[in-house]
Amino acid sequence: MTTAPPSAPDVSIVVPIYNEVENLPDLVERIAHAMSAQPLGFELLAVDDGSRDGSADKLRELAATRPWLRPVFLARNYGQSSALQAGFDRVRGRYVVTLDADLQNEPDDIPLLLERLETDPGVDMVSGWRKDRQDAELSRKLPSRIANRIISRTTGVHLHDYGCALKAYRRPIIDRIRLYGELHRFIPSLAKDVGARITEVPVRHHARTRGVSNYGIDRTFRVILDLILIVFFMRYRQRPLHAFGGLGLWLAAPGGLILTWLLVQKLLGEDIGGRPLLLAGVMLVLMGVQMIAAGLIGELLMRVYHEAGGAAQFHAQEYVPENRSNRAEADVLTAQDAINKVA
């Protein structure tokens, strides 16, 4: 595990920003006020995601007198997942906190999440739960409740509120995950996949008073597609043949039975050339074979990916006895570390 320099803060707060110039002064001041009420040092990584309303200039102005404010400017609007990852790539603290810039999250709740991480070694991630959410019932709250139940049931990570941006993590969890596309909605699932122990705490929520929401009802369809990706990623990433091959067998088996039955009919003198069932059987067998072939290709790609030094195949923590002086922080060994040691 990478060791932070002595001057590194205890907490890195990552905030993605897109066209929030009106909220930035208040956001920065409220975060500073919240963090001054607890003993941990902090830094604020404000990631401007290609804003066009002057947010970048406002961040430069605010950072001129605040050494703990570290603006990051993306070349264009890449999306919230990329903005978060840009911040994660630059964090230095042993804890990482995320929240939105629209001030609907309450910065004064940050110490509450950090206290849980500080006092409970059995928790790696604390997710906020907007128990009293201040949003429109039909357009925001109802679709969110439905989505939360579907995601919880599908992924096995049971949370009341996947969409709450206010979350706190131990640094090793952040170092193990990568965000791309629009996977920021599924960070709890990705965290669980790398071994995080997750809990949820109620946090405050406010109605938006300035600026315009960047989310619409159209995101519901994108969430469904991303959920399919997450489920495949969590269950079959290291065994794609089981996913594609299993589906291929379900297709090829009835196709094979159909063709066998038609072969018997042909041997008995029946004419099978004009039967639609013949076409159905051939199509099922062909699709099944293609799915199995796709699974085999996926297996080869996974082997090449891991053996070439890609993502770690697993994460593990070495046991450190009670009497060892460095008990406070054990080294995290990955499969790649083990390969390097053997080499």
Side-chain angles (χ1 to χ4, degrees):
M1 184 177 68
T2 303
T3 303
S7 59
D10 298 299
V11 183
S12 295
I13 303 173
V14 178
V15 181
I17 296 165
Y18 181 64
N19 293 342
E20 298 285 0
V21 66
E22 297 178 350
N23 288 318
L24 289 180
D26 196 15
L27 172 71
V28 171
E29 288 305 314
R30 289 174 64 178
I31 290 177
H33 177 268
M35 297 305 293
S36 66
Q38 49 84 55
L40 300 176
F42 78 101
E43 64 178 354
L44 172 58
L45 286 142
V47 184
D48 179 71
D49 187 22
S51 298
R52 299 186 298 270
D53 66 343
S55 293
D57 293 333
K58 178 58 71 174
L59 284 174
R60 293 187 183 94
E61 177 186 332
L62 294 169
T65 56
R66 297 168 177 83
W68 43 265
L69 175 56
R70 298 174 55 198
V72 178
F73 306 104
L74 300 188
R76 63 172 177 83
N77 179 233
Y78 291 93
Q80 189 170 346
S81 290
S82 296
L84 283 171
Q85 188 60 58
F88 291 164
D89 288 342
R90 292 163 173 80
V91 296
R92 297 181 297 159
R94 54 193 176 95
Y95 300 129
V96 178
V97 176
T98 62
L99 74 158
D100 280 339
D102 55 14
L103 289 176
Q104 291 192 263
N105 297 133
E106 176 54 65
D108 283 335
D109 285 334
I110 295 176
L112 177 67
L113 275 62
L114 293 174
E115 181 183 5
R116 183 61 185 273
L117 291 178
E118 283 274 272
T119 58
D120 190 346
V123 170
D124 300 307
M125 172 183 170
V126 183
S127 182
W129 171 21
R130 297 167 293 182
K131 195 171 184 179
D132 186 21
R133 184 174 176 179
Q134 304 299 309
D135 278 326
E137 178 66 35
L138 292 179
S139 62
R140 301 294 295 275
K141 294 170 68 174
L142 180 60
S144 180
R145 282 197 292 267
I146 295 173
N148 288 326
R149 291 177 182 176
I150 293 175
I151 296 172
S152 294
R153 181 181 295 272
T154 305
T155 64
V157 183
H158 297 281
L159 296 176
H160 292 89
D161 191 358
Y162 264 81
C164 182
L166 182 55
K167 294 179 172 67
Y169 315 81
R170 297 190 190 276
R171 170 73 175 280
I173 299 302
I174 291 299
D175 290 340
R176 295 173 189 172
I177 65 176
R178 297 291 300 180
L179 299 179
Y180 51 88
E182 295 189 2
L183 294 185
H184 60 275
R185 301 187 184 97
F186 301 97
I187 291 181
S189 301
L190 296 174
K192 180 190 176 184
D193 190 56
V194 297
R197 295 156 295 184
I198 304 170
T199 191
E200 192 175 32
V201 298
V203 295
R204 287 169 284 184
H205 187 251
H206 307 294
R208 178 184 274 271
T209 58
R210 293 187 290 256
V212 179
S213 174
N214 297 311
Y215 299 105
I217 193 65
D218 61 315
R219 66 175 177 166
T220 302
F221 303 102
R222 298 196 299 269
V223 168
I224 294 173
L225 295 175
D226 289 333
L227 181 58
I228 295 173
L229 172 63
I230 287 295
V231 171
F232 178 83
F233 187 80
M234 293 180 66
R235 297 182 182 177
Y236 300 108
R237 177 184 56 182
Q238 297 192 38
R239 48 192 182 98
L241 182 59
H242 288 191
F244 293 103
L247 181 58
L249 290 177
W250 277 104
L251 292 171
L257 292 175
I258 290 172
L259 294 180
T260 301
W261 182 76
L262 289 175
L263 176 62
V264 172
Q265 294 293 307
K266 179 67 175 177
L267 294 176
L268 294 176
E270 296 286 338
D271 182 16
I272 64 172
R275 294 191 182 184
L277 199 59
L278 176 61
L279 180 61
V282 172
M283 291 298 296
L284 286 173
V285 169
L286 288 177
M287 288 189 294
V289 171
Q290 288 179 333
M291 296 299 292
I292 294 173
L296 290 171
I297 294 173
E299 290 284 344
L300 292 174
L301 290 175
M302 278 293 97
R303 289 181 180 274
V304 171
Y305 179 62
H306 287 300
E307 293 176 7
Q313 185 177 352
F314 59 84
H315 300 277
Q317 191 172 35
E318 183 178 347
Y319 169 71
V320 182
E322 294 284 343
N323 59 354
R324 193 175 296 180
S325 59
N326 63 344
R327 176 180 177 273
E329 190 171 80
D331 291 333
V332 176
L333 297 179
T334 65
Q336 189 59 41
D337 294 329
I339 292 173
N340 292 337
K341 285 187 176 182
V342 172

